Amino acid sequence: MSSISTFFKLYKSEQLTDIKKWFVKSLAFFKANTVKENADGILLVQMVKTYDYTIKLAAASKTIAEKNNLFVNLYKVDVNWTWETQKLYLIFESLGINILKKIYLSFGNEVVFNNDEKYKDQKIIKQQLNKIKAQLGPNDREKLLLLKFDDILVGDLIYDSYLRFFHKPTIAEINENVFYTIELALNLFYNFSNFIQNNKIKCLLNTYVSYIQHGIPARICMYNNIDVYTIGSTSYVIQKLTNLFPYHQIDHTLFSSSKLLDETRIDQAKSRLESRFSGTIDAATSYMRSSAYTGGKLSKELTDKFKYRKRNIVLYVHDFYDSPHINRMLQFPDLYEFLRQTLNALTDLKDTSVFIKTHPNGVEGAKDVAIELINSFNSPHFYILDESVSNLNIVELRPDLIGTARGTIGVEMAYFGIPVVALYDNIYANFNFVHTCLTTEEYFLILKGIKAPEIDYDQKNIFSFYYQAFLEKIADKDGDIFTIFASFKGNLFSDDFLNHIYQSEYINYRDDFVNYYSKAL
């Protein structure tokens, strides 16, 4: 019965509604004016199931292809993790029922690669998998993170893929599901490596670089000196990846506290940052379902708890499931271990109350897992903050210290002069308004109050960082297409989203959209 239900659910989702037909027609505007026979190579564009990214990919592909005389071809990025679903999609494909393909062929020319396909020589896959199994013991998750295929690092991608798709907060042990993820990665790796050896790929355009399905093709391309561009952040229009920073997070290694910004830009950053504190969700925090700076009045109960002990610190919990390895270093195996080891280091404190704020927009289940972990310590000085406690309440309480791994809470609390300690690597590592620790030992010493954080709250530096991180590389125009995308709250692969952009007259912005990418490139 469940198989029949799944069949009809998927079949219905693959039908072209009237609004989808309008969408397909509107995307044809972005078809590049390049001819296959005269092109200098192929621009390979991934196919993803979110319509905002579809439009961005279409506009960026037109710009890159026409600038470099490239022919636009496509590849299917999704890896279907259950064979039942995969078989149904294959049946639909054989019947010509594939809505994603119909949408993307409106501006692309041909689907030339599929991440789902198994490598032709399964003997090689089994040999490589057995070799890896012999190298990895049950507790070797750190060794997993360093795993390479043919000199290309893939371990972090495999680790994050396991967490996300098996919905685990950590890798407790290297088990069969981890090896299954490695097997999928091996198939994808050797398939894509073989594909680019036999096709004249000059450039790859994608959305993310996390997880095996996004990251492996990108890293193979970079290894082979093929340009890779990504549109996977609201902090920029488009970003070219490098081997030194192969992530879709904005390249914060380029930020500098010595960068000279005029007063107009400083004032713009000041205005945008301060708008957060009145409940505004800006482009950089558009993933938030609600602002962390709206909420009720501070309760007497919480105020009293802040008086129990001499010292108060607040720890901010991260989302355990959402690609923890998205920058140069994470000093713990994952973000669950960050919280567990941090709490463990603070269990013996006598004069400090530790308040823990769970992630307000985490993947489903993250909050419950965090609460279970905190409660497992049974520590009388650990307090879980209620969801109703806003960041403005915390500002009012003036804790002695804020602890985070790499959250944007760093710049926000620095604005209010509240000390924050974070771990290298983070987006503000080049600035000193947060104390960034190069080791976990230093991090724990500061949290315990044994070592004082070294912080400079110079507001010009705070605004300079905010400008470089969240304003410098975006389309800064009121009412632009990016703002229209960000204003929608809901399923981005739905008719509701398409109706939203239809009513916003998105087709009138298409020329501007192409110009944004031309300018950014």
Side-chain angles (χ1 to χ4, degrees):
M1 186 67 181
S2 62
S3 297
I4 296 172
S5 175
T6 301
F7 178 89
F8 281 109
K9 184 178 179 181
L10 290 175
Y11 180 80
K12 185 178 179 181
S13 71
E14 291 294 312
Q15 304 309 302
L16 273 178
T17 59
D18 287 343
I19 193 66
K20 287 188 179 78
K21 291 175 183 176
W22 165 84
F23 183 53
V24 169
K25 188 176 179 180
S26 75
L27 287 172
F29 173 87
F30 298 113
K31 195 171 184 71
N33 297 318
T34 50
V35 180
K36 183 177 183 179
E37 290 74 19
N38 300 328
D40 294 326
I42 294 169
L43 166 62
L44 189 63
V45 181
Q46 68 171 200
M47 302 161 65
V48 292
K49 292 181 177 179
T50 52
Y51 292 136
D52 59 334
Y53 277 136
T54 302
I55 301 170
K56 292 177 183 179
L57 289 168
S61 70
K62 179 178 176 67
T63 308
I64 295 170
E66 292 181 352
K67 181 181 179 182
N68 299 284
N69 191 32
L70 301 176
F71 194 65
V72 178
N73 278 338
L74 308 161
Y75 77 102
K76 181 180 174 291
V77 68
D78 283 347
V79 175
N80 290 304
W81 292 74
T82 63
W83 280 109
E84 178 188 29
T85 303
Q86 167 65 352
K87 288 175 182 176
L88 289 176
Y89 277 121
L90 290 174
I91 293 170
F92 293 155
E93 182 86 33
S94 67
L95 297 172
I97 304 170
N98 189 322
I99 192 169
L100 196 66
K101 188 173 180 180
K102 289 175 182 176
I103 289 169
Y104 276 81
L105 287 177
S106 61
F107 65 90
N109 294 290
E110 185 181 355
V111 180
V112 293
F113 185 79
N114 186 341
N115 273 353
D116 256 339
E117 293 176 359
K118 286 193 171 185
Y119 186 57
K120 59 185 178 182
D121 190 346
Q122 283 298 298
K123 187 177 180 180
I124 290 177
I125 300 299
K126 295 299 180 187
Q127 287 174 345
Q128 292 299 321
L129 183 60
N130 287 334
K131 189 185 298 184
I132 293 167
K133 284 183 175 181
Q135 294 170 351
L136 293 178
N139 300 315
D140 284 339
R141 57 185 174 188
E142 284 85 358
K143 191 182 288 187
L144 171 63
L145 283 167
L146 300 175
L147 182 65
K148 293 182 178 181
F149 295 165
D150 295 350
D151 293 326
I152 298 176
L153 180 67
V154 295
D156 57 326
L157 302 174
I158 291 167
Y159 198 113
D160 288 3
S161 296
Y162 169 83
L163 298 186
R164 188 62 182 261
F165 296 109
F166 287 97
H167 202 65
K168 300 293 183 182
T170 187
I171 293 183
E173 65 173 359
I174 306 295
N175 57 28
E176 283 307 307
N177 285 336
V178 175
F179 287 124
Y180 175 60
T181 309
I182 294 171
E183 183 179 1
L184 288 171
L186 282 165
N187 276 280
L188 201 165
F189 182 89
Y190 284 105
N191 247 339
F192 194 81
S193 296
N194 182 66
F195 168 73
I196 64 163
Q197 294 303 320
N198 294 287
N199 291 272
K200 197 176 179 182
I201 308 299
K202 292 290 185 179
C203 184
L204 178 75
L205 175 62
N206 70 8
T207 52
Y208 291 104
V209 200
S210 302
Y211 311 119
I212 59 173
Q213 68 269 35
H214 300 289
I216 285 178
R219 292 187 184 179
I220 291 172
C221 284
M222 286 188 287
Y223 186 82
N224 287 277
N225 298 313
I226 296 170
D227 288 343
V228 178
Y229 289 92
T230 184
I231 57 169
S233 171
T234 56
S235 295
Y236 54 75
V237 173
I238 191 167
Q239 178 168 278
K240 185 177 181 180
L241 301 185
T242 68
N243 285 311
L244 294 176
F245 199 85
Y247 313 104
H248 66 262
Q249 184 185 57
I250 190 169
D251 187 353
H252 58 272
T253 65
L254 305 176
F255 300 167
S256 173
S257 59
S258 61
K259 184 169 185 174
L260 297 176
L261 297 177
D262 59 38
E263 289 301 319
T264 300
R265 289 177 171 82
I266 292 293
D267 289 344
Q268 184 186 10
K270 180 176 184 291
S271 175
R272 292 289 182 91
L273 176 57
E274 289 177 344
S275 72
R276 287 191 185 185
F277 309 135
S278 59
T280 299
I281 295 178
D282 56 19
T285 55
S286 59
Y287 65 92
M288 301 278 283
R289 289 187 289 271
S290 61
S291 169
Y293 288 89
T294 55
K297 187 178 177 182
L298 187 59
S299 71
K300 184 179 183 302
E301 180 186 5
L302 183 56
T303 304
D304 289 342
K305 285 179 180 177
F306 260 66
K307 297 174 183 176
Y308 286 173
R309 296 176 180 86
K310 180 181 176 183
R311 184 169 172 269
N312 299 288
I313 64 176
V314 179
L315 295 179
Y316 278 74
V317 178
H318 296 265
D319 189 335
F320 305 133
Y321 305 104
D322 191 9
S323 51
H325 301 96
I326 57 166
N327 51 24
R328 294 172 294 178
M329 180 188 289
L330 179 64
Q331 295 186 50
F332 296 90
D334 50 58
L335 291 168
Y336 178 89
E337 277 299 305
F338 156 72
L339 180 61
R340 188 189 69 78
Q341 293 184 40
T342 299
L343 292 173
N344 188 61
L346 303 177
T347 52
D348 294 331
L349 293 181
K350 302 299 182 186
D351 62 348
T352 301
S353 293
V354 181
F355 296 88
I356 302 109
K357 188 163 177 56
T358 58
H359 196 287
N361 291 274
V363 172
E364 185 179 355
K367 177 187 171 184
D368 293 337
V369 170
I371 290 172
E372 181 181 2
L373 173 61
I374 298 160
N375 287 336
S376 71
F377 285 90
N378 197 29
S379 293
H381 61 288
F382 287 179
Y383 302 97
I384 300 169
L385 291 171
D386 189 78
E387 279 185 347
S388 64
V389 178
S390 76
N391 284 344
L392 285 179
N393 295 144
I394 292 172
V395 170
E396 188 178 348
L397 289 164
R398 305 298 299 182
D400 296 279
L401 185 68
I402 299 286
T404 180
R406 59 184 184 215
T408 57
I409 194 66
V411 65
E412 294 162 1
M413 289 297 167
Y415 171 86
F416 291 105
I418 297 175
V420 179
V421 61
L423 287 161
Y424 182 91
D425 189 19
N426 61 61
I427 195 172
Y428 34 77
N430 290 353
F431 292 78
N432 56 7
F433 53 77
V434 168
H435 187 115
T436 295
C437 298
L438 298 177
T439 67
T440 58
E441 290 79 11
E442 182 188 27
Y443 186 71
F444 293 151
L445 287 174
I446 292 174
L447 285 173
K448 290 177 179 180
I450 298 171
K451 179 179 179 178
E454 298 173 13
I455 296 171
D456 183 352
Y457 296 112
D458 179 68
Q459 293 226 322
K460 273 204 169 181
N461 261 344
I462 293 171
F463 300 142
S464 174
F465 161 78
Y466 188 91
Y467 183 83
Q468 293 176 64
F470 303 120
L471 295 176
E472 188 169 33
K473 294 186 177 181
I474 66 171
D476 187 25
K477 179 180 175 183
D478 289 338
D480 63 35
I481 190 67
F482 296 99
T483 305
I484 291 171
F485 291 164
S487 66
F488 179 80
K489 302 301 177 186
N491 182 359
L492 294 168
F493 192 62
S494 68
D495 283 8
D496 288 340
F497 176 77
L498 295 182
N499 280 309
H500 170 73
I501 62 170
Y502 176 80
Q503 291 163 11
S504 302
E505 299 183 339
Y506 119 86
I507 58 173
N508 295 331
Y509 294 89
R510 290 178 299 182
D511 280 316
D512 286 344
F513 209 26
V514 172
N515 289 334
Y516 289 145
Y517 288 102
S518 297
K519 195 174 177 182
L521 290 166

